[in-house]
Every structure is written in structure tokens, then in C-alpha cells.
Amino acid sequence: MNVLVINCGSSSLKYQLIDSESEAVLAKGLCERIGIDGRLVYQKTGLDKEITEAPMPTHKQAIELVINALVNDKTGAIKDLSEIDAVGHRLVHGGEKFACSVVISDEVLQAVEECNDLAPLHNPANLIGVAACQEVMPNVPMVGVFDTAFHQTMPKKAYLYGLPYEYYEKYKVRRYGFHGTSHSFVSKRLAEYLGLDYQNSKLIVAHLGNGASISAVQNGKCIDTSMGLTPLEGLVMGTRSGDIDPAIMEFIAKKENLDIEGVMNVLNKKSGVQGLSRLSSDFRDLEDGHANGNEMATNAIEVFCYRVAKYIGAYVAAMNGVDAIAFTAGIGENGPLVRQKVMEYLGYLGIAVNEETNGVHGDEAVISTADSKVKVCVIPTNEELAIARETVALVK
């Protein structure tokens, strides 16, 4: 079965075509600048990347260009549109309505739309992508895989805020968590990689990228995660502040003469390690700065690692122990310096860094020493494969 995986943003669309039997990526790419001028990036596995400048006034045209690239006589991955057996869509926010992936129907789309105010930047774009695919491929089954679904097993003590309960009753203000598809995939793979019983284990996943979150997975279920109602809560991130004293918002608003939209723009787009370092949100730039004696780059890295270590410690307490910890996503998979600095806080767990294996970039590895009481690993995430697996399970 060939599954087309779609991750649709407001002006972009990422895609992969995956053979579910071999789990091989047949082709992948990106549509950029939708609604502006349009650029298609397409790469069949084993061939060079192709870039085509083409008008994409709407997501429908973007999907059509993707299909045309996939069936191209010279470099297409398939011969005909009929070879796409199903489409898996990344949907960001399912609220409390969806605790698992679902076959997309009109009722599902309406329920997702009702969650739009919880993810106003993401859900409407996701729905546009679904509609575009349905128009181009009306008879192909489609599945929605939610970023929030994996975290729906959190107990009330983990997801409720210390706010008037009526805000939860009326507006569903609570912690939802994000990156759920990644946390689910990596936690399962971590258990498999170490030979642990997933249903009888205590695992922590640190998904560290420009957006970053940590989850506690006990006996195969997420019991807590660091992101909240929105992806702003939790860790210090690339441009997001993470946890702050809420009173800072009023203080800064008055000092800088900002309205609530202006303050939220600062917290989401001008804060994090970019704001701290005055240099970059990219950890490669920060590490270069650190190596060259840039004190602000060093400070940003230290703040980031300290917050990661604190959340790991909190989740060890929440589960009353931990069997294994995984680093994943862009920084987690490719950042030996960050991994080392975080692990140096974890000596109380009997963890020591294996300096040789910690040099790994993008590959699976145990990066704790052989005598460490808790295993620490690098486990690359693969959200597209996870979406493809969920899709196949529902439509096969």
C-alpha cells in the first residue's frame, strides 16, 4: 500500500510517499510560498532534488503539482494516481474530541473545525490541505493523525491548570501537549531498541528542536507533557519563551506599550534562545558562538539545557522512577553538546555520558555508559512514518 503523507501549513505543504510494506520513502518534498508565487521541491529517492517555480494560488494547485511530480514519466515514483492507496494528514489540534487517529469524514472535519480557536494558526491550514486532497483524490481514503492525541491519556492532575474550573468547563482550557506523533513513535522505538516491555516501563522522551517538548510515558501511556494549551508552555525553545511568570506579560506590556497581541508576538517569535543570545534560534549558530567565546550564546545553551534537565527530573518524580530516556528531533538527534550538558545534571540517576557514542548524529545509539543505571539513547523521530502506519492500520 502506498500512503501519501501530508503536513499542511498556511503557505506550505510537506509531503512524503511511503510504501507501507517496506516502509521505504518513495519520494518526498515541499511546496512553498502557496498563495504568493509558488515553489515545488520534489525528490524521488535515489535521484537529485528538483525545484520548480510554479504558480500555486491555492493548496489545490499545490496538491495537483505534487501529484503531477509523483506520476512524471521521467522521475515519478508511481505511474498513475490510482497507485496512491490512502492519504494520511497531520492534524495539529483535536482537543478532547480525539484520543486516536481517525478516518476523515464530514463529522470529523466539523469536530476539528470546532477546535480551531485552540490552534488558530495550524488547524485551519490543516483543514485546507484535507479539502484540497479530497478535491483532487475524491475516492481515496484519508486519515487524520493528531498531534494532541497521544497526550489524551494524561490524568486530570496533570492537565488541569490552577485556574477557575469554569474556564475548563466552558472553554476547555487545559494542557493538551503537542508533538504527540513523535513522542508516540520514539517511546515505542526506545522500548523496542532496548528490549523493554513497552506496557511495563517508565520512559522519558525529549523532543528537542526549534519547538521542544518532553513527555513522561508510563506503561505505554503519556501521563504528562511539557507543552500546554498551546505550544508556548514548557521548555525554552528556538523563539518561544516557555514557562514564565504570567505577570511578566502585564509588566512588559506597560513598559513597551504593547497590546496582548504584541506581547504574545514577543513570547512566541522573539524569545527563547534567539532572544537570549541575540544571535540565532539555530543551535548550530549557538554552538559556533559558544566555541568562539560568545558569552550570550553560551548563556542561551545553558538556560535551554537546564530547563530540559529540570523537566526530566520532574517526570522522574511523576513516575517514581525511569527506565530509559530518549533524545530526538533536530537538536536531540544532532546536538552532542546539548545532550552532554543535560546528562551532566542526571548523575543522581546513576547516569554518565559515553563520550564516544554521544558524538552520534542522526543515528540510533546508547549514549550513556555501560554501567549507567538508566539507559539514555538517541532515537531519531519519524513522524511521517508514524502517520503512514496509523493510516494503514485504519484503512487496510
Side-chain angles (χ1 to χ4, degrees):
M1 179 181 286
N2 291 330
V3 179
L4 179 61
V5 175
I6 298 290
N7 181 352
C8 198
S10 57
S11 63
S12 66
L13 185 154
K14 297 178 184 177
Y15 64 92
Q16 283 193 12
L17 184 65
I18 297 174
D19 178 347
S20 67
E21 300 298 322
S22 65
E23 296 194 334
V25 176
L26 304 179
K28 63 181 180 180
L30 170 71
C31 293
E32 299 177 287
R33 299 175 63 82
I34 299 171
I36 304 172
D37 42 25
R39 177 185 299 121
L40 171 70
V41 179
Y42 171 80
Q43 185 174 27
K44 180 181 178 181
T45 299
L47 298 180
D48 292 335
K49 192 179 291 184
E50 301 174 17
I51 298 177
T52 305
E53 306 292 337
M56 296 180 198
T58 70
H59 287 73
K60 181 189 175 186
Q61 283 80 25
I63 292 290
E64 288 174 343
L65 285 164
V66 169
I67 297 300
N68 290 340
L70 289 170
V71 301
N72 182 285
D73 289 339
K74 293 183 178 179
T75 58
I78 54 176
K79 294 180 180 178
D80 188 83
L81 179 59
S82 63
E83 292 183 46
I84 298 176
D85 301 296
V87 181
H89 292 270
R90 178 198 179 215
L91 301 178
V92 169
H93 216 307
E96 292 187 325
K97 301 174 187 294
F98 299 101
C100 58
S101 302
V102 291
V103 175
I104 292 174
S105 64
D106 289 343
E107 292 75 19
V108 167
L109 293 176
Q110 182 177 344
V112 174
E113 189 172 352
E114 290 170 2
C115 296
N116 279 4
D117 59 346
L118 294 172
L121 297 179
H122 296 90
N123 271 25
N126 296 160
L127 290 169
I128 288 169
V130 173
C133 286
Q134 288 178 326
E135 194 169 348
V136 176
M137 297 174 277
N139 300 314
V140 178
M142 302 197 184
V143 168
V145 181
F146 296 89
D147 266 12
T148 51
F150 182 62
H151 304 305
Q152 280 296 300
T153 52
M154 285 191 291
K156 279 193 172 183
K157 64 183 179 183
Y159 71 68
L160 287 177
Y161 288 114
L163 295 170
Y165 194 73
E166 64 194 75
Y167 296 154
Y168 170 64
E169 291 178 309
K170 292 195 294 187
Y171 312 121
K172 295 303 178 187
V173 174
R174 51 157 287 181
R175 175 176 288 107
Y176 289 99
F178 298 88
H179 298 140
T181 306
S182 175
H183 285 288
S184 175
F185 178 88
V186 172
S187 60
K188 290 182 177 74
R189 179 57 193 152
L190 175 63
E192 181 182 36
Y193 183 61
L194 294 177
L196 301 173
D197 179 0
Y198 188 58
Q199 302 302 327
N200 185 28
S201 61
K202 298 174 180 180
L203 309 174
I204 293 175
V205 176
H207 176 108
L208 308 181
N210 193 51
S213 63
I214 296 183
S215 65
V217 183
Q218 186 167 2
N219 302 332
K221 294 181 178 179
C222 176
I223 65 153
D224 208 344
T225 190
S226 58
M227 284 181 167
L229 175 74
T230 75
L232 183 56
E233 186 181 359
L235 302 175
V236 172
M237 305 178 216
T239 63
R240 297 182 189 130
S241 67
D243 297 339
I244 63 166
D245 178 346
I248 291 172
M249 297 175 69
E250 180 189 23
F251 183 83
I252 296 298
K254 289 179 176 178
K255 294 290 186 183
E256 296 286 325
N257 194 28
L258 295 172
D259 58 12
I260 188 66
E261 186 177 343
V263 173
M264 294 307 296
N265 184 60
V266 170
L267 297 183
N268 275 295
K269 298 181 179 179
K270 297 182 179 180
S271 300
V273 294
Q274 176 174 291
L276 281 167
S277 68
R278 291 180 177 169
L279 176 65
S280 176
S281 63
D282 191 315
F283 265 76
R284 290 167 294 190
D285 296 332
L286 297 181
E287 289 176 3
D288 288 344
H290 168 70
N292 292 320
N294 183 320
E295 184 178 351
M296 297 190 75
T298 299
N299 287 342
I301 292 170
E302 295 284 0
V303 169
F304 178 85
C305 295
Y306 182 65
R307 184 69 62 88
V308 172
K310 283 211 298 184
Y311 262 98
I312 289 173
Y315 290 161
V316 173
M319 296 189 292
N320 196 18
V322 63
D323 297 317
I325 299 168
F327 287 96
T328 193
I331 300 165
E333 295 169 28
N334 299 287
L337 177 65
V338 167
R339 295 191 299 250
Q340 179 174 342
K341 284 185 174 294
V342 172
M343 290 171 69
E344 286 172 353
Y345 286 105
L346 307 179
Y348 69 97
L349 294 173
I351 291 172
V353 182
N354 182 326
E355 294 185 7
E356 182 179 348
T357 58
N358 187 44
V360 70
H361 287 265
D363 293 317
E364 292 181 337
V366 177
I367 59 172
S368 51
T369 56
D371 60 351
S372 291
K373 293 179 181 178
V374 176
K375 291 280 190 263
V376 182
C377 301
V378 175
I379 302 289
T381 191
N382 192 331
E383 293 173 274
E384 290 78 15
L385 178 56
I387 291 171
R389 286 175 175 173
E390 295 274 335
T391 301
V392 170
L394 285 169
V395 304
K396 199 167 186 179

